[in-house]
Amino acid sequence: MAGPDLSALPEILESRPADPSELLPLLTMIQGRWRHLPQEALRAVAARLSLPLARVFAVASFYRSLSFQPKGERLVQVCCGTACHLKGARAVAASLEKSLAVRMGATREDGRVTLESVNCVGACALAPVVMLDGTVHGKVSGPGAAGLRL
Amino acid sequence: MPGEPDSCAAGGGVPAGAALPGEAGAGSRPRLAEPLVEGTVDGVRVAVPRGATILEAARLCAIEIPTLCHHEGLPPEGSCRLCLSETRGSLAVSCMYPLRESGFAALTRSPAVLEARRYVLSLLVCRAPRAPRIRKLADEYGVSPDPRFMRDPDGCIRCGRCVRACRASGPEAIALCGRGFARLVTGPFGRPPEACVGCLACALACPTGKIAFSERDGVRRIWEREFELAPCPECGKRAFTREQLAFLGGGASALCHSCRRRLMARELGKAAALEAPGGPALLRAL
Amino acid sequence: MRLGSTDDLRALRRELAARPGPKRRLWVCGGPGCLASGAQEVFRAVEEACRAQGLGGASGLRADLSGCLGLCERGPLAEVEPEGWLYGGLRPEDAGELVSETLIGGRFVERLAADPGCREKDSSPFYLPQKRHVMARFGRARPGSLEDYLATGGYGALELALSELGPEETFRRVERSGLRGRGGGGFPAGRKWRALKESGGGTRYLIANGDEGDPGAFMNRALMEGDPLSVIEGMTLGAYALGAGRGFIYVRHEYPLSVERLRAAAAAAEGAGLLGADILGRGFDFRLAIVEGGGAFVCGESTALTASIEGREGQPRVKYVRTTEAGLWERPTLLQNVESWANVPQIVANGPEWFRRTGSEANPGTKVFSLVGKVRRTGLVEVPLGTTVGALVNGAGGGVPRGRSFKAVQSGGPSGGCLPESALDLPLDFDALAEAGAMMGSGGLIVMDDLSCLVDTARYFTGFLCEESCGKCAPCREGLPALRDVLTDLTEGRGRPGDSAFLESQARLLAATALCGLGKSAANPVLSTLRHFREEYMEHEEGYCRAGRCRGMYLPEVDGDLCRACGACQKACPASAIEGERKEKRRVLPERCETCGACLAACPFEAVKARRPKKGAPDARRA
């Protein structure tokens, strides 16, 4: 499999000062652009910030918002905050797994959709909540979630 | 945001032994110039330079505090929690707790301390049930691994000594990656570390013997990588890898430890003789 | 326009405050909750309707998005200014009526009332116990609009500080106010400020902690999105009083809109000469950066947060030196929650005595809580500290929904604790909550009813903390999963006698030996539920869950005296395990029951009970 097209990478790298404190912002931008962190991009970040690759990798592996595997084109996140847990997030997750044909925490083989859990998105009053591509949908019911097809 | 000029230890890719920002401070080596502070460890009176740790004070009193993540030559981390002692009514990490004022009173064998150590050991022994050092400690404290919690006994207690050793004296080729229970020492991308120079700093720093290495026919194997060992120009013994010599740079020599010591002693002897009365004549006569 | 002096600022503030407001304004709530229930679509439709009616400009009638109006549960909400009416449950289809009837006609549309029977927002029980200081601009000023902020008293504190008070008196006002940190333990802000002030010379940093990681809490999000400038002004005042040149607002990764609003607000302030270099021509610089987190709960801990800003893994450090001595880049650093910072402008402007007038002696001021879970009215409330838990749960919240009963309230996020019914009389303040085995945390209050299992709740929080543990210290990394495994066994019918006692001893040791504040408090969910709900643990050891939550650990049974033959349970049952004809009391067929709990939740009369499974009987099948 050919790697992703990284021609936009230099521009991203140069948009921030070459300082170690820019590591997380840069990784976040790369994640946003390619929906994951390509290995070559991590090497370029390490070189740009004069950091050992191991340290860049450690930081990249620490934060939940960053991933090494490409995320799907559509991102479905089930909130697992306390209020959502109390109001049946587990049932919502189960019905989404069924209707989207993908396991929790995985990306469907066709690369179209990723289903994952997320820690509280701060819309607790409307629990249970599902986030679709960053937009929050409140008061989702298990059977209602089953209607979602992507 | 623009960088902090005084903040980054890393320059040119190799942090030359410098502690990372944030890892100095508390627990760094006491300076002898500091005034002495007095107190007791387990009732034994002791005076230490201000800023010395409980661990250092205890050692002056010949009181043994077990440690795992602590290493004399590396910045302290206080993460294994084994060296806990009691001071001012609560538990403190002996390897980092700085003694700043006279009148301190640390307890290293109080019931609370022993209970805490037993707890920590009961957790660590589930990770490294076969490591001799952990087993010895576990026996000493009467702890045995609970099969209910033996989820991943891979022999590593995640103390990070290998990573700190690699950062201090090597190229920082490995790191503790991931988080929580799944945290793991590995090279980037979970593969053999490309930057590794085979210097063994990690393996020698490891308290559980988890990092395996071998040497045969002039080749050293570690981290699933092979390194050719350069012969000592004096005796031919192979002590350093070529990558390590290149990493050290500046024409680092492949002299083995014993030849290095022997040559150094010879030079020192020469210098001493030159300074002694009648020395130069003696040297000439020889 | 760049303001060159405090006189310029005063003149502009006067001008904006005197400018006549719109004749009538419809504030469509743009808070986190309402956005989740479709407020953006409603607002778009309202704007459309306004255009169609030719409103705007000279008409004096307008519609705007506001900060969180509070009663999220009934969202999307809208408030009508000046009447103070509150609408709820709005749909885009209602836009035409809202504009023609209310905005133009000045008439209340009864069917859109947010709280039936209450026209005015302030007459709803939800708002009765509230006192809005931090949230004062929600529904009065457009979020992040510098113009509106200035028109509603904003930057009055900075003007006063720079023109009259000077740094020392500005500092003294905060110190004397008795403000306590709003992010967790309630550490006195004045002590932190003094420590920073007395720290050695050189660079000093300020940080606002907006890494609101507690699941079930969203007050910081509402604040950063609803009134970002109050946080920024608070920090600017701190920078002036304490001589700090740089500041950071660390925002949780999951809150992209907060980042956006804060960045826009900071840019506006900077453009006006209120932030950045040479503020108001006084030669005082304060550069502020908005930093986005990477998705790690542990980054709410101060040393982990500073590590994250420095570009490293968010891992806490052993802390024998205070952050105010050596924090960010080893420099003296003052770190406070965003809500603490948002209180600063009001304290400086109105004086410490004014601030102390609200709340109690040791806990002055107000606190924002997110009231969620099993209550009738959920949402965001701001009340004086010392208000009782009951006043929030039963007063503002309206109690648990009909047909169920109150069991516990969880406060303080995963590091907090669950409190029983007796806690309803407890005043909400830092000390009372800590004494009862919970903590204030950042202000999440989650109400649980009799269908919530406290062992399952402990398992949930412990599982959450396991996933969020950074893995640095052994007790948290290794000990927390051990707790979780025992709790999982207990909730899946594999409990053993002695598990509760074992959990208790392990949890205490974890708390005593962990490295950071999060690790030390990670045992709280277990310890607090054990303290107040021990009998449920004992029942789980025997394989019984009284809440009917843990599968296979109970048997639903219809209580014939309570059953009104409505058939709700039968309809809800996915396994056809309930029988009974119309008008007949229902019966459960145990051999078919999958113990999913649907019947328990469906019964409006609490007639379906979770009975102890018979000894020796085969476990109900699991999914």
Side-chain angles (χ1 to χ4, degrees), chain B residues 25 28-38 47-53 56 98-101:
Chain B
S28 59
R29 325 236 57 208
R31 267 156 279 157
L32 289 172
E34 290 283 345
L36 293 180
V37 293
E38 281 180 65
V48 291
R50 188 172 66 193
T53 61
E56 284 160 327
L99 300 167
R100 293 205 188 95
E101 286 158 27

Side-chain angles (χ1 to χ4, degrees), chain B residues 234-235 257-267:
Chain B
E234 289 283 311
C235 68
H257 291 294
S258 48
C259 290
R260 190 180 300 256
R261 260 201 297 274
R262 195 160 41 78
L263 289 177
M264 209 183 277
R266 192 195 290 166
E267 292 302 314

Side-chain angles (χ1 to χ4, degrees), chain A residues 20-21 23-24 58-59 62-65 80-83 85-87 90 119-122 124-126 136-139, chain C residues 32-33 36 72-73 215-216 218 221 252-253 294-295 308 310-312 314 372-373 378 446 456 459-461 464 467-468 549:
Chain A
S21 66
L23 179 53
L24 187 53
V59 169
F62 184 82
Y63 293 102
R64 173 143 315 152
S65 65
C80 292
T82 318
H85 175 76
L86 283 177
K87 292 198 170 174
R90 269 191 288 195
N119 288 334
C120 194
V121 299
C124 318
L126 297 167
V136 178
H137 299 268
K139 291 189 186 170
Chain C
C72 316
E73 210 263 322
F218 57 104
R221 177 177 167 191
R252 206 169 159 236
H253 175 79
S308 183
E310 287 167 12
R312 295 184 285 130
V372 297
T378 57
I446 299 151
D456 176 67
R459 186 200 58 78
Y460 164 77
F461 281 120
F464 171 87
E467 284 190 21
E468 293 299 328
R549 170 100 192 172

Side-chain angles (χ1 to χ4, degrees), chain C residues 84 103 161 514:
Chain C
L103 204 50

Side-chain angles (χ1 to χ4, degrees), chain C residues 432-443:
Chain C
L433 284 175
E435 209 167 289
M439 66 186 246
M440 177 85 81
S442 55

